[in-house]
Amino acid sequence: MGLPVISTDCSPGGARLLIKNDENGILVPVGNSQKLAKAINKLIENPYIANQYAVKATRVKNKFTPEKILPLW
């Protein structure tokens, strides 16, 4: 959607399939509110980085198109 993403790195790892930490988003450990706050502040204080993550995040949708995923099912 063109937004920078912060997600918990929850089991079984769905977020990790979509987010490459510090490349197209930020993954934080589940239940670690301090790291979550730090990640939020990082993007607020660094709009250039937030924009870079957002641009790279849009590329994920090309990796998971229905044409690529449906044959795997």
Side-chain angles (χ1 to χ4, degrees), residues 17-18 60-73:
L17 289 174
L18 303 172
V60 172
K61 66 183 174 184
N62 296 328
K63 187 176 178 180
F64 295 97
T65 63
E67 294 79 21
K68 292 180 181 176
I69 296 299
L70 290 176
L72 300 174
W73 288 64

Side-chain angles (χ1 to χ4, degrees), residues 19-72:
I19 301 168
K20 292 186 179 180
N21 193 42
D22 286 326
E23 185 176 318
N24 67 351
I26 301 174
L27 291 171
V28 296
V30 174
N32 192 325
S33 59
Q34 289 181 337
K35 287 197 177 183
L36 178 60
K38 186 176 177 181
I40 292 168
N41 284 333
K42 177 180 179 174
L43 295 184
I44 290 171
E45 294 170 359
N46 299 283
Y48 177 79
I49 291 172
N51 186 59
Q52 292 299 335
Y53 288 178
V55 168
K56 291 177 182 176
T58 61
R59 298 176 190 156
V60 172
K61 66 183 174 184
N62 296 328
K63 187 176 178 180
F64 295 97
T65 63
E67 294 79 21
K68 292 180 181 176
I69 296 299
L70 290 176
L72 300 174

